[in-house]
Amino acid sequence: MTHELSILDAHPLGSGPIDRSKLVECIQSCFDCAQTCAGCADVCLSEEAAAELTKCIHATLDCFDICAATGKILSRNGSINGDITRAVLQACRTACKTCAEECGPQGFTRRHCAVCAGACRRCEQTCNTLLASLAQ
């Protein structure tokens, strides 16, 4: 059992109208993506060609911030507001899509960018899945 699931199980309000398994998966992928983006940005900044990677670095840092914020907001299950939840999920999937599109082509020569693009695509998908479940 994950920590996220343990916390949801302990919450007196439960997970409310949100599917717990989808919520937990999204929280985990947000934090995983944030960590991966931070690492990717650090590696890009350490490369000799860092100046050529400006767009990639900005995309990874934006994605890092948005994914971390989304994971934090989703973790506060007791105060979930449907409008805010939808807005952060939409922002997160947009940041992930943008970052994956920027890092993806770099991944042919930079392994860290390929890993980052993969984490972003997974996070984008879990945000889409959770968003779809909220619409029901």
Side-chain angles (χ1 to χ4, degrees):
M1 187 180 321
T2 66
H3 296 288
E4 294 87 358
L5 189 54
S6 296
I7 294 295
L8 287 175
D9 285 343
H11 200 289
L13 299 178
S15 59
I18 295 179
D19 180 300
R20 279 181 11 170
S21 64
K22 290 176 184 163
L23 177 60
V24 168
E25 184 178 9
C26 193
I27 291 168
Q28 290 172 336
S29 71
C30 284
F31 287 130
D32 179 60
C33 190
Q35 184 277 324
T36 303
C37 285
C40 185
D42 183 61
V43 174
C44 285
L45 287 166
S46 299
E47 290 192 21
E48 286 183 30
E52 298 169 18
L53 298 170
T54 302
K55 281 183 69 178
C56 186
I57 293 165
H58 282 282
T60 55
L61 292 175
D62 288 347
C63 194
F64 162 76
D65 285 333
I66 292 170
C67 286
T70 301
K72 290 176 187 179
I73 289 167
L74 293 177
S75 294
R76 291 194 294 268
N77 183 55
S79 62
I80 288 182
N81 174 301
D83 292 338
I84 291 172
T85 300
R86 282 181 198 82
V88 297
L89 287 168
Q90 290 165 349
C92 191
R93 76 175 177 191
T94 299
C96 288
K97 183 178 190 299
T98 300
C99 190
E101 288 172 354
E102 188 58 41
C103 279
Q106 301 293 337
F108 293 111
T109 57
R110 294 176 171 87
R111 181 170 166 15
H112 58 92
C113 285
V115 172
C116 185
C120 289
R121 287 186 196 101
R122 282 187 301 280
C123 189
E124 178 187 7
Q125 182 57 48
T126 62
C127 287
N128 281 331
T129 301
L130 188 57
L131 268 169
S133 75
L134 293 176
Q136 297 172 1

